[in-house]
Amino acid sequence: MMTTEEIEAKLRAAFPDAHLQVVDTTGTMDHFEALVVSSAFEGKTRVQRHQAVYAALGDAMRERIHALALTTLTPDQYGSP
Amino acid sequence: MAPKIELPIVNPTFGEDGPAGSDKPRTRAEGGDVMSEIRREVSDNPVFLYMKGTPHQPMCGFSARVVQILHHIQVPFQSCNVLDDYEKREAIKVYSEWPTIPQLYVRGEFVGGCDIVTEMFQEGELQTLLKG
């Protein structure tokens, strides 16, 4: 179990410039959706972006989070209509 | 003087590939470890899915969705049910540096999990990749 605030703090530490939206989708503190918009994703594949997010969450990803639906965008991708 | 031509030495029993494909990573049944078996699976099968359950009976909504997408685009694939193999269930996460199942591999390359596969399907990228 984990709070959205804890997840945001870990992501913020790894992606200081990020725009973040973390939602507890089931209200049970183990299924989440996260939008991460960061310039750190520029030039990275989807797999590399998600791996960077998983690395930022560390052990929490394996032990405390059951499911995390991720959207990882660069500022350009996020800003474009 | 004619140059000496060196012929490769070929063991007639095994052919050029050596004993049962000696270059190939070995499965656990062949004496390899689980990582070696994973390398073998993803290199021997053009499209390979690690999932929970089987394509006929997925045991998780995320695995079910990837199966549904592969069926929809009519691509043949092989799969491994990680619920039947605890060692592989943990090893595959280390292999790909990816914490969740399902995991889709195309021509030996890790493509992604459910979110990425879904997004690539919606954008037509998955179809392009699988035709390649």
Side-chain angles (χ1 to χ4, degrees):
Chain A
M1 305 243 287
M2 204 160 174
T3 64
T4 54
E5 290 77 16
E6 284 178 280
I7 294 176
E8 280 171 2
K10 282 181 183 290
L11 295 176
R12 177 68 60 206
F15 307 100
D17 75 327
H19 169 69
L20 300 173
Q21 282 173 17
V22 182
V23 179
D24 177 349
T25 49
T26 53
T28 51
M29 292 166 58
D30 56 359
H31 289 65
F32 299 94
E33 271 177 28
L35 167 70
V36 185
V37 182
S38 170
S39 56
F41 296 144
E42 278 162 19
K44 301 260 173 65
T45 64
R46 287 190 185 85
V47 167
Q48 289 167 338
R49 293 174 185 192
H50 288 213
Q51 278 168 336
V53 172
Y54 294 146
L57 295 172
D59 289 344
M61 189 61 219
R62 273 184 293 112
E63 292 161 11
R64 300 172 63 193
I65 299 174
H66 180 77
L68 176 66
L70 267 183
T71 307
T72 50
L73 301 174
T74 63
D76 279 354
Q77 289 173 322
Y78 184 63
S80 64
Chain B
M1 194 165 79
K4 188 181 171 194
I5 299 169
E6 290 206 20
L7 292 171
I9 298 164
V10 176
N11 180 327
T13 313
F14 300 122
E16 289 184 21
D17 289 328
S22 59
D23 296 346
K24 283 188 178 179
R26 286 175 297 171
T27 64
R28 281 170 293 178
E30 293 165 354
D33 63 13
V34 66
M35 286 296 182
S36 162
E37 182 167 307
I38 289 169
R39 281 197 294 279
R40 173 74 166 270
E41 286 170 333
V42 302
S43 60
D44 272 4
N45 299 285
V47 183
F48 199 86
L49 179 66
Y50 292 91
M51 64 177 291
K52 292 182 179 173
T54 63
H56 291 292
Q57 197 163 18
M59 300 298 284
C60 154
F62 300 103
S63 289
R65 194 195 304 173
V66 174
V67 166
Q68 198 181 9
I69 288 171
L70 293 174
H71 282 161
H72 183 80
I73 57 185
Q74 298 184 316
V75 60
F77 65 96
Q78 302 299 314
S79 65
C80 166
N81 177 6
V82 299
L83 297 179
D84 282 348
D85 191 336
Y86 185 78
E87 189 184 10
K88 195 176 284 176
R89 178 177 175 173
E90 294 310 307
I92 192 65
K93 298 175 186 177
V94 175
Y95 181 83
S96 56
E97 298 174 64
W98 196 260
T100 54
I101 313 290
Q103 296 189 10
L104 180 68
Y105 292 77
V106 175
R107 294 184 293 273
E109 291 290 321
F110 174 54
V111 173
C114 184
D115 291 344
I116 289 180
V117 169
T118 303
E119 198 179 321
M120 289 179 73
F121 168 66
Q122 285 164 351
E123 291 174 12
E125 285 174 51
L126 187 67
Q127 295 86 323
T128 308
L129 176 72
L130 290 167
K131 273 183 215 152

